[in-house]
Amino acid sequence: MADSTSTPLTVFCKLCLSHNAERDTSALHACGCVFCTQCLQHYVGLAVREGGGALITCPDLACQGAEGLSDSEVACYVSEGQAELYQRLKFEKEVQLDPSRAWCPVIDCQAVCSVVPGVEGTPTPLPCQACHAIFCCGCSQPWQDEHVCSSSQPLTQASSEDRCSADTPIKQCPMCGVFIERNQGCAQMLCKNCKHTFCWYCLQNLDGDIFLRHYDRGPCRDKLGHSRASVVWNRMQVVAVLVGVSITMMVTFPFLLLASPCILCCIFKPCHGKNRKKKKTKRSPKSAPADD
């Protein structure tokens, strides 16, 4: 007699590496890849918070689909507030990459203005239709008589002291040009768009400055925004991590050195053929037929 109860279908999720019931999974519209719904919710939510409005693609790296998730599909996996945040970040990124549009630099306005290119790409005054402010379309500074655009000038003309004394709450990332707002806190900035680390005051590259020595000297000295004790504590933590990694390498290196012949033997298997030859030689020869 056949069993009336049937086993429910399960789908393997590449994100959590587990099998899930088919009712607990969801398929992406663009590529058709199937994941468990809970994993997609976590993935899309993280992409909204950390992506800066970038296109959210399939989480499977082996997927050949080039299209990303639509706005309606993103809204299915995140809350209403996160969906609105994604729409805003996406619009801001589109304006930033569009040379025919620019943001009004007035903080209370932040309207989108249409840019009229000047002769041979020279900066021109750009009036805002919302707040009627006039600013430079190149450097977003207020337009004045005999205005000189700072974006068209080499960086060597502006001294580091002048840049450190600037107290503007909004600046552009020196690597990708994304607008970043800083109200208070640490002067070591991390761009969420390109992951570039730089100093807020002088825009110097801090990608390799793990000990924050930049704020020990020069015009940005003691301008990190943290107490001296917290800076020392941060450096002690970095040193502890480096020492821990070094000790681990020193301890494991002798064992790896001793085990290297066995590892090489397992990889190349030089004795595999010899074992076969030995087995063949050990076989007893066939007995010859007896004479009549």
Side-chain angles (χ1 to χ4, degrees):
M1 182 176 180
D3 189 5
S4 59
T5 60
S6 59
T7 305
L9 297 177
T10 59
V11 178
F12 180 76
C13 177
K14 292 185 178 181
L15 295 179
C16 61
L17 303 179
S18 61
H19 291 272
N20 300 269
E22 190 176 10
R23 63 177 181 274
D24 298 330
T25 61
S26 300
L28 300 180
H29 298 162
C31 58
C33 295
V34 181
F35 306 92
C36 66
T37 306
Q38 187 176 4
C39 287
L40 283 178
Q41 291 174 351
H42 291 299
Y43 168 75
V44 176
L46 181 62
V48 169
R49 293 190 300 269
E50 303 294 336
L55 182 66
I56 301 177
T57 57
C58 177
D60 187 4
L61 299 179
C63 179
Q64 301 297 326
E67 298 182 4
L69 278 70
S70 61
D71 296 344
S72 59
E73 194 171 7
V74 172
C76 295
Y77 298 110
V78 296
S79 62
E80 183 178 355
Q82 286 183 318
E84 294 178 356
L85 174 63
Y86 177 70
Q87 293 288 341
R88 180 170 60 84
L89 294 176
K90 183 180 178 181
F91 177 72
E92 291 177 358
K93 192 175 187 65
E94 291 176 355
V95 174
Q96 172 202 343
L97 299 177
D98 189 357
S100 64
R101 293 185 292 179
W103 291 101
C104 176
V106 180
I107 299 178
D108 297 334
C109 179
Q110 291 293 301
V112 179
C113 306
S114 299
V115 177
V116 179
V119 180
E120 296 181 356
T122 57
T124 57
L126 181 61
C128 177
Q129 302 296 331
C131 65
H132 306 289
I134 302 177
F135 59 96
C136 177
C137 65
C139 61
S140 300
Q141 296 296 324
W143 187 273
Q144 300 175 354
D145 295 338
E146 299 180 358
H147 174 76
V148 178
C149 180
S150 59
S151 64
S152 61
Q153 300 296 321
L155 296 177
T156 54
Q157 292 189 2
S159 63
S160 59
E161 296 180 358
D162 295 336
R163 286 182 287 171
C164 286
S165 61
D167 196 20
T168 174
I170 298 178
K171 292 185 179 181
Q172 286 182 279
C173 172
M175 186 65 66
C176 64
V178 171
F179 287 94
I180 301 175
E181 181 179 4
R182 174 179 178 264
N183 296 326
Q184 58 183 358
C186 184
Q188 182 193 26
M189 308 302 297
L190 174 64
C191 178
K192 290 186 176 181
N193 185 49
C194 64
K195 310 302 179 184
H196 175 63
T197 307
F198 62 95
C199 174
W200 175 259
Y201 297 102
C202 63
L203 304 181
Q204 181 174 333
N205 186 0
L206 300 180
D207 288 334
D209 192 2
I210 59 176
F211 292 104
L212 301 177
R213 300 296 302 272
H214 173 73
Y215 299 97
D216 291 342
R217 58 189 181 275
C220 299
R221 181 178 180 180
D222 298 330
K223 289 187 176 183
L224 179 60
H226 297 283
S227 62
R228 191 67 182 175
S230 63
V231 175
V232 173
W233 174 248
N234 176 75
R235 292 176 179 175
M236 290 176 61
Q237 288 179 322
V238 175
V239 171
V241 171
L242 295 178
V243 171
V245 173
S246 302
I247 293 176
T248 303
M249 293 296 297
M250 292 175 61
V251 172
T252 57
F253 181 75
F255 295 98
L256 293 176
L257 188 62
L258 294 174
S260 57
C262 298
I263 297 175
L264 294 176
C265 180
C266 294
I267 294 175
F268 296 102
K269 297 181 179 180
C271 58
H272 186 68
K274 295 181 180 179
N275 293 335
R276 286 186 175 180
K277 291 181 180 179
K278 290 181 180 179
K279 289 180 180 179
K280 290 181 179 180
T281 55
K282 289 181 180 180
R283 291 179 180 176
S284 59
K286 295 182 179 180
S287 57
D291 296 334
D292 293 337

